[in-house]
Amino acid sequence: ETGVTQSPTHLIKTRGQQVTLRCSSQSGHNTVSWYQQALGQGPQFIFQYYREEENGRGNFPPRFSGLQFPNYSSELNVNALELDDSALYLCASSPSERTTYEQYFGPGTRLTVT
Amino acid sequence: KNQVEQSPQSLIILEGKNCTLQCNYTVSPFSNLRWYKQDTGRGPVSLTIMTFSENTKSNGRYTATLDADTKQSSLHITASQLSDSASYICVVIDNYGQNFVFGPGTRLSVLP
Protein backbone atom coordinates (compact mmCIF):
# COMPACT_ATOMS: atom_id res chain seq x y z
CA GLU A 1 0.00 0.00 0.00
CA THR A 2 1.23 3.49 -0.93
CA GLY A 3 -0.58 5.45 1.79
CA VAL A 4 -2.56 7.36 -0.85
CA THR A 5 -6.30 6.95 -0.42
CA GLN A 6 -9.17 7.88 -2.73
CA SER A 7 -12.91 8.11 -2.22
CA PRO A 8 -15.34 6.92 -3.24
CA THR A 9 -14.21 3.59 -4.71
CA HIS A 10 -17.02 3.47 -7.24
CA LEU A 11 -19.52 6.05 -8.41
CA ILE A 12 -22.41 6.09 -10.87
CA LYS A 13 -23.65 9.41 -12.25
CA THR A 14 -26.02 10.58 -14.96
CA ARG A 15 -24.94 12.62 -17.97
CA GLY A 16 -25.03 16.34 -17.17
CA GLN A 17 -24.46 15.90 -13.44
CA GLN A 18 -21.44 17.07 -11.48
CA VAL A 19 -19.04 14.89 -9.47
CA THR A 20 -16.35 15.43 -6.84
CA LEU A 21 -13.61 12.88 -6.24
CA ARG A 22 -11.26 13.02 -3.25
CA CYS A 23 -7.65 12.09 -2.65
CA SER A 24 -5.59 12.02 0.55
CA SER A 25 -1.90 12.21 -0.18
CA GLN A 26 0.86 10.31 1.58
CA SER A 27 2.17 11.98 4.72
CA GLY A 28 4.83 14.58 3.90
CA HIS A 29 3.84 14.89 0.24
CA ASN A 30 2.97 18.37 -1.06
CA THR A 31 2.21 17.52 -4.69
CA VAL A 32 -0.84 15.72 -6.08
CA SER A 33 -1.48 14.76 -9.69
CA TRP A 34 -4.73 13.50 -11.22
CA TYR A 35 -5.08 11.08 -14.13
CA GLN A 36 -7.95 9.65 -16.18
CA GLN A 37 -7.63 6.05 -17.34
CA ALA A 38 -10.16 4.74 -19.83
CA LEU A 39 -10.66 1.00 -19.99
CA GLY A 40 -7.75 -0.75 -21.70
CA GLN A 41 -5.70 2.44 -22.08
CA GLY A 42 -2.88 4.15 -20.25
CA PRO A 43 -3.60 7.01 -17.84
CA GLN A 44 -3.95 10.53 -19.25
CA PHE A 45 -2.57 13.44 -17.20
CA ILE A 46 -5.30 15.86 -16.09
CA PHE A 47 -3.44 18.32 -13.82
CA GLN A 48 -1.05 18.65 -10.93
CA TYR A 49 -1.32 20.69 -7.71
CA TYR A 50 1.69 21.87 -5.74
CA ARG A 51 1.22 23.72 -2.45
CA GLU A 52 -2.44 24.52 -3.25
CA GLU A 53 -1.74 25.94 -6.73
CA GLU A 54 -2.30 24.30 -10.12
CA ASN A 55 1.18 23.49 -11.41
CA GLY A 56 0.52 22.00 -14.83
CA ARG A 57 -2.39 20.79 -16.89
CA GLY A 58 -2.97 18.21 -19.60
CA ASN A 59 -5.35 18.44 -22.52
CA PHE A 60 -8.62 18.46 -20.58
CA PRO A 61 -11.47 21.03 -20.84
CA PRO A 62 -12.17 23.59 -18.10
CA ARG A 63 -15.08 21.53 -16.76
CA PHE A 64 -12.34 19.45 -15.13
CA SER A 65 -11.18 21.47 -12.14
CA GLY A 66 -9.43 20.80 -8.88
CA LEU A 67 -8.45 21.99 -5.46
CA GLN A 68 -5.66 21.27 -3.05
CA PHE A 69 -6.12 21.97 0.64
CA PRO A 70 -3.59 23.13 3.27
CA ASN A 71 -3.15 19.51 4.40
CA TYR A 72 -2.32 18.70 0.74
CA SER A 73 -5.35 16.52 0.19
CA SER A 74 -7.06 17.22 -3.11
CA GLU A 75 -10.35 17.17 -4.98
CA LEU A 76 -11.14 16.64 -8.64
CA ASN A 77 -14.40 18.18 -9.83
CA VAL A 78 -16.02 17.37 -13.14
CA ASN A 79 -19.03 19.41 -14.32
CA ALA A 80 -21.56 18.58 -17.03
CA LEU A 81 -20.59 14.91 -17.12
CA GLU A 82 -20.41 13.20 -20.49
CA LEU A 83 -20.56 9.49 -21.28
CA ASP A 84 -16.86 9.58 -22.27
CA ASP A 85 -15.94 10.67 -18.75
CA SER A 86 -16.52 7.08 -17.63
CA ALA A 87 -13.09 5.94 -16.49
CA LEU A 88 -10.82 5.09 -13.59
CA TYR A 89 -9.59 8.32 -11.97
CA LEU A 90 -6.21 8.02 -10.30
CA CYS A 91 -4.44 10.42 -8.03
CA ALA A 92 -0.75 10.28 -7.22
CA SER A 93 1.18 12.11 -4.53
CA SER A 94 4.83 13.09 -4.51
CA PRO A 95 7.20 14.75 -2.03
CA SER A 96 8.11 17.36 -4.64
CA GLU A 97 6.78 19.01 -7.78
CA ARG A 98 10.06 18.07 -9.48
CA THR A 99 9.41 15.29 -11.95
CA THR A 100 12.45 13.24 -10.97
CA TYR A 101 10.74 12.38 -7.72
CA GLU A 102 8.69 9.24 -7.25
CA GLN A 103 4.90 9.33 -7.54
CA TYR A 104 2.72 7.10 -5.40
CA PHE A 105 -0.66 6.20 -6.83
CA GLY A 106 -3.90 5.61 -5.00
CA PRO A 107 -6.25 2.73 -5.89
CA GLY A 108 -8.48 4.95 -8.03
CA THR A 109 -12.15 5.86 -8.26
CA ARG A 110 -14.19 4.07 -10.91
CA LEU A 111 -16.70 6.56 -12.38
CA THR A 112 -19.53 5.36 -14.58
CA VAL A 113 -21.64 7.93 -16.44
CA THR A 114 -24.98 6.69 -17.77
CA LYS B 1 3.24 15.44 -31.10
CA ASN B 2 4.48 13.81 -27.89
CA GLN B 3 3.73 10.10 -28.00
CA VAL B 4 4.73 6.89 -26.26
CA GLU B 5 4.26 3.56 -28.01
CA GLN B 6 4.63 0.15 -26.45
CA SER B 7 4.99 -3.33 -27.87
CA PRO B 8 3.78 -5.94 -27.80
CA GLN B 9 0.22 -5.03 -26.87
CA SER B 10 -0.05 -8.31 -24.96
CA LEU B 11 2.25 -11.20 -24.12
CA ILE B 12 1.77 -14.68 -22.68
CA ILE B 13 4.73 -16.53 -21.19
CA LEU B 14 5.27 -19.56 -18.96
CA GLU B 15 6.35 -19.18 -15.36
CA GLY B 16 10.12 -19.07 -15.03
CA LYS B 17 10.72 -17.67 -18.50
CA ASN B 18 12.23 -14.26 -19.30
CA CYS B 19 10.62 -11.55 -21.40
CA THR B 20 11.35 -8.07 -22.76
CA LEU B 21 8.86 -5.26 -23.26
CA GLN B 22 9.54 -2.33 -25.58
CA CYS B 23 8.83 1.40 -25.39
CA ASN B 24 9.43 4.01 -28.11
CA TYR B 25 8.80 7.69 -27.53
CA THR B 26 8.79 11.02 -29.31
CA VAL B 27 8.60 13.23 -26.21
CA SER B 28 10.99 16.16 -26.41
CA PRO B 29 12.75 17.65 -24.60
CA PHE B 30 13.17 14.61 -22.39
CA SER B 31 13.39 14.67 -18.59
CA ASN B 32 12.98 11.12 -17.41
CA LEU B 33 11.37 7.79 -18.24
CA ARG B 34 9.52 5.50 -15.87
CA TRP B 35 8.18 1.99 -15.94
CA TYR B 36 5.11 1.14 -13.87
CA LYS B 37 3.36 -2.12 -13.05
CA GLN B 38 -0.42 -1.95 -12.81
CA ASP B 39 -2.50 -4.82 -11.48
CA THR B 40 -6.09 -4.96 -12.69
CA GLY B 41 -8.25 -2.41 -10.86
CA ARG B 42 -5.30 -0.99 -8.90
CA GLY B 43 -3.14 2.09 -9.20
CA PRO B 44 0.26 1.84 -10.97
CA VAL B 45 3.34 1.03 -8.90
CA SER B 46 6.72 2.41 -9.91
CA LEU B 47 9.43 -0.03 -10.99
CA THR B 48 12.19 2.26 -12.28
CA ILE B 49 12.94 5.92 -13.02
CA MET B 50 15.74 6.80 -15.46
CA THR B 51 17.08 10.22 -16.35
CA PHE B 52 18.80 11.19 -19.59
CA SER B 53 22.24 10.14 -18.35
CA GLU B 54 21.22 6.67 -17.17
CA ASN B 55 21.11 3.77 -19.60
CA THR B 56 20.20 0.93 -17.26
CA LYS B 57 18.52 0.49 -13.92
CA SER B 58 17.51 -2.62 -12.03
CA ASN B 59 14.87 -3.34 -9.41
CA GLY B 60 15.07 -7.00 -8.39
CA ARG B 61 14.08 -9.14 -11.36
CA TYR B 62 13.21 -6.04 -13.40
CA THR B 63 15.89 -4.33 -15.52
CA ALA B 64 15.12 -1.25 -17.60
CA THR B 65 17.35 0.12 -20.34
CA LEU B 66 17.26 3.50 -22.04
CA ASP B 67 18.75 4.67 -25.32
CA ALA B 68 18.11 8.40 -25.42
CA ASP B 69 19.62 8.69 -28.92
CA THR B 70 17.12 6.31 -30.51
CA LYS B 71 14.39 7.21 -27.97
CA GLN B 72 13.84 3.61 -27.00
CA SER B 73 13.52 1.83 -23.68
CA SER B 74 13.03 -1.77 -22.70
CA LEU B 75 11.93 -3.58 -19.56
CA HIS B 76 13.39 -7.05 -19.06
CA ILE B 77 11.79 -9.44 -16.59
CA THR B 78 13.80 -12.46 -15.54
CA ALA B 79 12.53 -15.72 -14.05
CA SER B 80 8.91 -14.63 -14.34
CA GLN B 81 6.43 -15.41 -11.57
CA LEU B 82 2.66 -15.73 -11.63
CA SER B 83 2.45 -12.44 -9.71
CA ASP B 84 4.13 -10.65 -12.62
CA SER B 85 0.83 -10.89 -14.51
CA ALA B 86 -0.17 -7.23 -14.93
CA SER B 87 -0.01 -4.29 -17.32
CA TYR B 88 3.38 -2.62 -17.68
CA ILE B 89 3.23 1.05 -18.56
CA CYS B 90 6.03 3.24 -19.91
CA VAL B 91 5.81 6.95 -19.00
CA VAL B 92 7.95 9.75 -20.40
CA ILE B 93 8.14 13.17 -18.76
CA ASP B 94 9.24 16.22 -20.75
CA ASN B 95 11.83 18.65 -19.56
CA TYR B 96 9.34 21.43 -18.95
CA GLY B 97 8.15 19.39 -16.03
CA GLN B 98 4.48 18.76 -16.12
CA ASN B 99 3.79 16.80 -19.28
CA PHE B 100 3.45 13.16 -18.29
CA VAL B 101 2.94 11.05 -21.41
CA PHE B 102 1.77 7.51 -20.73
CA GLY B 103 2.02 4.62 -23.12
CA PRO B 104 -0.97 2.28 -23.59
CA GLY B 105 0.76 -0.51 -21.68
CA THR B 106 1.69 -4.11 -22.38
CA ARG B 107 -0.57 -6.72 -20.83
CA LEU B 108 1.61 -9.61 -19.53
CA SER B 109 0.11 -12.96 -18.56
CA VAL B 110 2.32 -15.51 -16.82
CA LEU B 111 0.94 -19.04 -16.92
CA PRO B 112 1.90 -21.98 -14.68
Side-chain angles (χ1 to χ4, degrees):
Chain A
E1 298 298 326
T2 63
V4 179
T5 60
Q6 293 186 243
S7 62
T9 305
H10 296 87
L11 197 55
I12 300 175
K13 288 286 190 178
T14 303
R15 188 171 50 184
Q17 286 187 313
Q18 178 266 344
V19 69
T20 297
L21 310 182
R22 295 178 174 83
C23 172
S24 291
S25 58
Q26 189 170 331
S27 177
H29 288 188
N30 56 23
T31 302
V32 173
S33 302
W34 285 93
Y35 299 87
Q36 179 194 68
Q37 186 174 24
L39 198 61
Q41 298 182 24
Q44 299 290 316
F45 175 61
I46 303 175
F47 43 58
Q48 182 185 83
Y49 277 83
Y50 168 63
R51 295 185 181 273
E52 303 179 58
E53 298 286 334
E54 187 177 293
N55 189 42
R57 189 178 183 93
N59 190 27
F60 280 80
R63 59 188 185 85
F64 286 79
S65 63
L67 283 173
Q68 188 179 31
F69 301 99
N71 66 356
Y72 301 132
S73 65
S74 179
E75 286 182 354
L76 165 66
N77 299 291
V78 187
N79 294 322
L81 284 168
E82 301 177 359
L83 296 179
D84 285 349
D85 295 334
S86 295
L88 180 69
Y89 287 84
L90 297 163
C91 81
S93 77
S94 174
S96 167
E97 83 285 10
R98 295 176 63 182
T99 58
T100 51
Y101 279 74
E102 189 59 78
Q103 283 194 331
Y104 298 87
F105 283 84
T109 293
R110 172 71 64 185
L111 172 64
T112 302
V113 182
T114 62
Chain B
K1 180 181 178 183
N2 288 333
Q3 283 188 312
V4 175
E5 299 177 343
Q6 292 187 243
S7 62
Q9 184 176 18
S10 61
L11 184 61
I12 300 174
I13 62 173
L14 294 177
E15 186 179 13
K17 297 296 185 182
N18 304 334
C19 66
T20 300
L21 313 180
Q22 301 291 342
C23 172
N24 297 329
Y25 62 92
T26 59
V27 178
S28 181
F30 170 89
S31 172
N32 63 87
L33 183 146
R34 309 174 182 205
W35 283 93
Y36 286 92
K37 177 186 179 186
Q38 185 175 25
D39 293 314
T40 302
R42 307 285 295 272
V45 175
S46 177
L47 297 175
T48 62
I49 299 177
M50 289 185 291
T51 60
F52 183 87
S53 60
E54 298 173 297
N55 56 24
T56 186
K57 183 163 281 190
S58 292
N59 178 2
R61 294 180 297 104
Y62 301 101
T63 299
T65 65
L66 172 64
D67 185 334
D69 291 331
T70 62
K71 298 186 177 180
Q72 295 180 325
S73 176
S74 65
L75 179 69
H76 187 73
I77 304 174
T78 60
S80 60
Q81 301 175 358
L82 298 179
S83 59
D84 291 333
S85 295
S87 287
Y88 291 84
I89 302 174
C90 174
V91 185
V92 182
I93 295 89
D94 73 24
N95 206 30
Y96 294 121
Q98 308 320 322
N99 192 17
F100 290 73
V101 186
F102 284 71
T106 292
R107 179 72 202 174
L108 175 65
S109 299
V110 180
L111 303 181

